[in-house]
Each structure stands twice: as structure tokens, then as C-alpha cells.
Amino acid sequence: MIKAGQRVLSTLRKMIISGELTAGERVAEIPTAERLGVSRTPVRIAFRALEQEGLLIKLERRGYRVREVTSEEVSGAVEVRGVLEGLAARQAAEKGLTAELRQGLLKCLTWGDALFDKGYVTEDDLEAYHDLNKRFHSLIIEASGNPAISTALSRSEHTPFASVSSLAIDRHNLAREYRRFNFAHMQHHAAFDAIDHGQGARAEGIMREHANATLRYAELFCSEPADTGTLRVISGELNPAE
């Protein structure tokens, strides 16, 4: 997804989970684009992605409706993802990493180290983390050698926040986001270490805990509505106002 589309997606995801966009509310491309100060294209891309994530429901006529999401639905889906990714990590540890997969995982860790070692993160850093996070998880699933895990995960991705790519980011509190995502990156290091040393049970436990950190997203944003007024367009991309 292009950068503007990714930023709009993250903003809308945060607006939904914070309650700024309420359950049952109708949303459409033009007013949403005007509200965020972007063109219709990234909004259209974001709407489709949010429909796939189960946060929006496409209406027969134009537009979408915000889906009501219960905490039980989210927690159940995330727990299932944790079980599946934990299983993948355990099987990867028991099977052993190929040289190619090991190098791929190490590249993700090195990439993440470069993002967090400076002691703070920017919006671009968080977008980069989104990509490396997806890559890291997909490599572990690949390393398991079990295609049934990938199939099972794909079936649950229509449930809100059950997908590893469903990151909600608060761009108005980057200091807290640094702590949150740096901790997640340290979990990546721990998971790799366990897998690389053939410690199946440890790898499984780390990945299950890593997935359950997703449950904190709603709590993090429930008391801090998104201030979309600080967003504007610069050179066709969504950026924070200076």
C-alpha cells in the first residue's frame, strides 16, 4: 500500500477503536477525505482494507457502516492467533531454520534495531515497523513448514485486530509508541533466540504473549480521541501539521 493509504488506514483504524467513529455510523469517501485532508484514493484503499479486517461493513448503496466490535470478539480472535503463531514458532524451533529463513529473520531484527536504537521513533519509523513486523511473522510461519497454520490464520483475519498487520498507531504520543513498539521488537529478538536454539516451548510461549499484546490497543486509545485536525496534505501525502 502506498504511504498515504497506509497512514489513512492507521488513522481510521484508531478513530474506530477510540469511538470517534461510532458503531453503526455511515462513512463515505468524499466526507472522510475532506475530514482527513487527503484525496479520495487513499480513503478508498483504507475502506477496503478495513472491510477485510471486519471493522467496516459495505452497504448495498454507496459507503460503509462502522461495525460494532465487542471486546470478547477481539480477545477471542487474538487468542486464536496467539495459539497458531505459537505453534508455528514451536514447530520452527523443532524443525530448525534454513540458512535463508535465518538470514531473513536476522535482517528484520537488524532493521528494527536501526529504528529503535536512536531512542525515539518518527511516523516513518512506525510505518517501517509495520512492514518489518509483517515480514518477521510471515517468516516464522514459513519456517514452521506447516501450511495449515497459514490457512487457519487467513480465515481469522476478517475479525477486528486479529491480523498481525492491524496496527493502530497514536501519532500524537510518539514517546509512548516508542516504548510499546520497542518492547514488541524485543519480543521478536527473544522469539528468534528461542527458535534459533531449538527451544520449542519457550518460542511458543513468547509468540503467544506477543500476540496477546494486541489486546492493549483498545485500552490505549479509549481515552484519547484522535485529533484529525492536525493532519494535512503535503505533496500528495498525509503528514502531521507542523
Side-chain angles (χ1 to χ4, degrees), residues 30 43-44 82 85 95 107 130 132 156 164 177 183 201 238:
I30 294 178
V43 172
R44 185 181 305 115
E85 292 194 332
K95 183 178 180 180
K107 185 176 180 180
H130 173 273
L132 79 84
S156 68
V164 69
E177 296 298 71
F183 176 74
L238 189 63

Side-chain angles (χ1 to χ4, degrees), residues 22-48:
T22 60
E25 182 176 345
R26 184 180 179 276
V27 291
E29 285 181 20
I30 294 178
T32 301
E34 292 175 348
R35 182 176 186 175
L36 300 183
V38 298
S39 69
R40 293 175 60 181
T41 299
V43 172
R44 185 181 305 115
I45 294 171
F47 279 176
R48 290 172 180 168

Side-chain angles (χ1 to χ4, degrees), residues 47-95:
F47 279 176
R48 290 172 180 168
L50 291 169
E51 180 189 10
Q52 289 296 310
E53 292 178 17
L55 290 174
L56 292 180
I57 298 173
K58 188 172 179 59
L59 302 175
E60 291 185 4
R61 297 181 178 181
R62 293 183 179 180
Y64 293 80
R65 176 168 55 85
V66 179
R67 178 184 170 189
E68 181 179 5
V69 180
T70 66
S71 59
E72 291 80 9
E73 183 179 17
V74 174
S75 63
V78 171
E79 185 173 2
V80 169
R81 179 164 68 85
V83 169
L84 290 170
E85 292 194 332
L87 174 61
R90 178 169 63 81
Q91 292 186 338
E94 293 171 349
K95 183 178 180 180

Side-chain angles (χ1 to χ4, degrees), residues 1 6 25 48 51 54 68 124 146 153 164 207 220 226 229:
M1 183 182 296
Q6 182 60 53
E25 182 176 345
R48 290 172 180 168
E51 180 189 10
E68 181 179 5
D124 287 342
N146 187 344
L153 282 169
V164 69
M207 289 303 292
L220 282 170

Side-chain angles (χ1 to χ4, degrees), residues 38-178:
V38 298
S39 69
R40 293 175 60 181
T41 299
V43 172
R44 185 181 305 115
I45 294 171
F47 279 176
R48 290 172 180 168
L50 291 169
E51 180 189 10
Q52 289 296 310
E53 292 178 17
L55 290 174
L56 292 180
I57 298 173
K58 188 172 179 59
L59 302 175
E60 291 185 4
R61 297 181 178 181
R62 293 183 179 180
Y64 293 80
R65 176 168 55 85
V66 179
R67 178 184 170 189
E68 181 179 5
V69 180
T70 66
S71 59
E72 291 80 9
E73 183 179 17
V74 174
S75 63
V78 171
E79 185 173 2
V80 169
R81 179 164 68 85
V83 169
L84 290 170
E85 292 194 332
L87 174 61
R90 178 169 63 81
Q91 292 186 338
E94 293 171 349
K95 183 178 180 180
L97 295 171
T98 65
E100 181 179 1
L101 287 170
R102 187 176 189 276
Q103 185 60 35
L105 289 167
L106 283 172
K107 185 176 180 180
C108 289
L109 295 178
T110 301
W111 185 6
D113 290 344
L115 294 178
F116 297 110
D117 281 354
K118 62 184 181 294
Y120 64 90
V121 289
T122 65
E123 291 186 43
D124 287 342
D125 290 335
L126 294 178
E127 289 175 7
Y129 179 81
H130 173 273
D131 294 336
L132 79 84
N133 185 57
K134 286 179 62 177
R135 178 62 176 161
F136 184 84
H137 284 251
S138 67
L139 287 171
I140 289 179
I141 294 167
E142 182 181 348
S144 74
N146 187 344
I149 294 176
S150 180
T151 300
L153 282 169
S154 66
R155 290 174 180 169
S156 68
E157 289 195 344
H158 296 295
T159 304
F161 293 95
S163 171
V164 69
S165 63
S166 299
L167 296 179
I169 295 169
D170 186 350
R171 292 185 169 83
H172 305 287
N173 196 337
L174 291 178
R176 184 180 62 189
E177 296 298 71
Y178 169 79

